Amino acid sequence: MNQDVDGIPPVGDGDVVDRMQREWARLRPDLSFTSLGVIHRVLRASRLILEASDAFLAGYGLTRGELDVLSALRRSDEPLSPTSLSQMLLAPRSAITMRLNALQARGLLSRSANPTDGRSSLLVLTDSGAALVDEVVPAQLAFEDALLAEAPPGAIEDLAGRLRALTSVWEQGRGHQAGASKHRREGGPQPDG
């Protein structure tokens, strides 16, 4: 198989994931590697998008994770807690805390005590945080449109629909798992498996 200078097969030979599937199929012909073809492409696409997005956002002094926090606060009609941000963005609390600390130090958000939970805080954008989001989001959208510009007509809408269907199923399952886990911690009867 021909490879380019990075060791990645040229387009005619498929992509890196095709090569992984072929190599595994040779080693373990008794297994199906269909899911690998989807999961690894989604993971690779995510990493490539995040890498490119972070490089673009560096010009604004932001990371993609920080923009996600600022954008969530900008869209919200009311203050958000760190826990709600963590759940919304599917990010670990430690990552959210680091982002919040960095953004607060830059004067882009403020925290106040949560009147319903003394252990938590509520977050809102400052005027400069809102102004930054309003400046960055149009530029970020143009950047993302450029990333997708090579796709054939209709492919993006089709892909978005298919990913929506898949992530909806996973997110529903995640909610059920979280509820079952909480139920177990509280000592309730176990759901049927």
Side-chain angles (χ1 to χ4, degrees):
M1 175 185 354
N2 295 335
Q3 293 185 348
D4 65 16
V5 293
D6 295 324
I8 297 173
V11 174
D13 291 338
D15 64 3
V16 171
V17 178
D18 287 326
R19 186 177 70 206
M20 289 169 57
Q21 287 177 295
R22 285 192 301 269
E23 291 168 352
W24 273 115
R26 180 178 47 81
L27 292 170
R28 292 296 307 268
D30 56 314
L31 299 176
S32 168
F33 296 98
T34 303
S35 61
L36 184 146
V38 174
I39 300 297
H40 280 267
R41 283 189 179 93
V42 169
L43 290 172
R44 289 179 67 79
S46 175
R47 289 178 187 133
L48 292 167
I49 291 167
L50 285 173
E51 180 182 285
S53 190
D54 278 342
F56 175 77
L57 289 169
Y60 294 93
L62 293 171
T63 66
R64 180 58 192 237
E66 291 170 341
L67 179 60
D68 289 345
V69 167
L70 294 174
S71 295
L73 292 171
R74 183 71 173 106
R75 294 189 314 268
S76 181
D77 293 331
E78 54 191 44
L80 297 175
S81 70
T83 299
S84 62
L85 274 174
S86 177
Q87 292 167 347
M88 181 187 310
L89 301 176
L90 299 178
R93 282 289 308 262
S94 58
I96 293 294
T97 299
M98 283 180 19
R99 293 171 193 165
L100 294 176
N101 290 342
L103 294 168
Q104 185 176 15
R106 292 179 56 197
L108 300 174
L109 63 84
S110 65
R111 298 181 205 215
S112 60
N114 186 338
T116 62
D117 181 358
R119 299 170 296 154
S120 180
S121 60
L122 293 176
L123 309 158
V124 294
L125 287 181
T126 61
D127 289 342
S128 59
L132 180 60
V133 173
D134 289 347
E135 175 188 355
V136 172
V137 166
Q140 178 70 14
L141 290 173
F143 170 75
E144 290 173 357
D145 286 344
L147 284 178
L148 301 176
E150 298 298 317
I156 297 305
E157 293 80 11
D158 182 51
L159 179 60
R162 291 170 189 263
L163 288 172
R164 181 184 307 109
L166 192 56
T167 56
S168 293
V169 169
W170 289 340
E171 287 175 353
Q172 288 173 4
R174 190 172 189 262
H176 293 306
Q177 290 171 351
S181 177
K182 180 180 178 189
H183 198 67
R184 279 193 296 276
R185 285 193 309 269
E186 293 172 354
Q190 303 303 304
D192 293 334

